Amino acid sequence: MAYDLEEQESIDQMKAWWDRWGTPVTAAVCVCCLGFAAWNGWNWWQRNQAGKAAQMYAQLQQAVVANDQKNAASLSTGLVSEYGSTIYAPLGALAAANAALQNGNFAEAKAKLEWVIDKAGRPEYDALARIRLAGVLYDEGKLDEALKVLDAAKPNADQRPLLLDRLGDVWAAKGDVKKARESWAEAQKTGGANNPLARVLELKLASLPAEG
């Protein structure tokens, strides 16, 4: 097929452009395709991991309900080691910590809660883990350690009454009536009218002796 002069010039210009830029353009397209494939692969892997973690977390919940502490601890360890990047790992650790506490296993509970604080990388669960860890330390009589754990907490609005309630418990145990009263009164204030701790806080405040 014959081309006229103008068409031939356009073809020659296209060939010259392709000779200069064809390889970089092809490379760029390949990189984009590989990047897209990698992104899809990563998303698939995350969904796959989350699905497996959800199944293991459901098994852990069943173990907790059945008061099977050994299985709960094992499943929680599996969640942490195999699916530590998913949301189910800290949830499992918190559940396993509660199961351990119910059976008086303070060491196991502390290990699970400390993992949530130090390793989970989920700030939304940090304050809750600290409140529960402070409760374990309170039960062990390690009041100063409990205060340090609580002082580092950054609770959200829903968690703040729980934190203040725990602080009041620790201060009361230390014999500081003023700080205990301040903590529990602040917990009442921040919890609002629908605060589930309202009645408990009233009783705690009423139990305090008058300040000397």
Side-chain angles (χ1 to χ4, degrees):
M1 179 178 179
Y3 296 100
D4 61 28
L5 182 60
E6 185 176 347
E7 289 175 331
Q8 187 62 49
E9 287 179 351
S10 296
I11 293 172
D12 290 342
Q13 289 174 357
M14 184 177 296
K15 287 181 178 179
W17 183 91
W18 184 255
D19 288 341
R20 181 175 181 182
W21 299 107
T23 299
V25 167
T26 301
V29 170
C30 288
V31 169
C32 289
C33 290
L34 288 172
F36 182 73
W39 181 77
N40 276 338
W42 172 248
N43 282 339
W44 174 87
W45 183 84
Q46 284 187 313
R47 290 194 297 271
N48 186 54
Q49 291 291 96
K52 291 180 178 178
Q55 292 178 359
M56 187 175 288
Y57 179 65
Q59 294 173 357
L60 188 154
Q61 287 181 309
Q62 292 175 359
V64 170
V65 171
N67 197 27
D68 185 351
Q69 184 188 347
K70 183 178 180 180
N71 200 23
S74 176
L75 287 166
S76 174
T77 299
L79 277 171
V80 168
S81 62
E82 298 177 35
Y83 310 108
S85 63
T86 71
I87 194 172
Y88 297 101
L91 288 175
L94 289 169
N98 281 347
L101 281 176
Q102 291 173 8
N103 288 276
N105 191 341
F106 288 1
E108 178 72 14
K110 287 167 66 175
K112 299 297 184 184
L113 294 169
E114 286 170 351
W115 181 85
V116 176
I117 295 167
D118 298 330
K119 304 292 184 180
R122 296 277 180 171
E124 64 270 31
Y125 296 116
D126 178 84
L128 181 59
R130 288 180 179 278
I131 292 167
R132 294 184 181 179
L133 178 57
V136 178
L137 295 169
Y138 171 89
D139 289 337
E140 291 182 328
K142 299 176 181 178
L143 303 179
D144 290 333
E145 289 185 37
L147 286 177
K148 289 180 181 179
V149 168
L150 293 172
D151 285 343
K154 297 178 180 179
N156 59 32
D158 292 332
Q159 295 166 339
R160 185 160 177 74
L162 296 172
L163 176 69
L164 289 165
D165 177 44
R166 184 73 78 213
L167 273 173
D169 293 339
V170 177
W171 285 123
K174 287 176 69 70
D176 194 324
V177 175
K178 180 180 179 181
K179 287 185 177 181
R181 180 175 284 110
E182 289 174 350
S183 296
W184 286 332
E186 185 66 18
Q188 280 185 319
K189 180 180 177 181
T190 57
N194 297 321
N195 185 2
L197 295 174
R199 181 55 181 163
V200 174
L201 291 169
E202 287 178 10
L203 294 173
K204 287 182 177 181
L205 284 167
S207 70
L208 289 175
E211 295 180 46

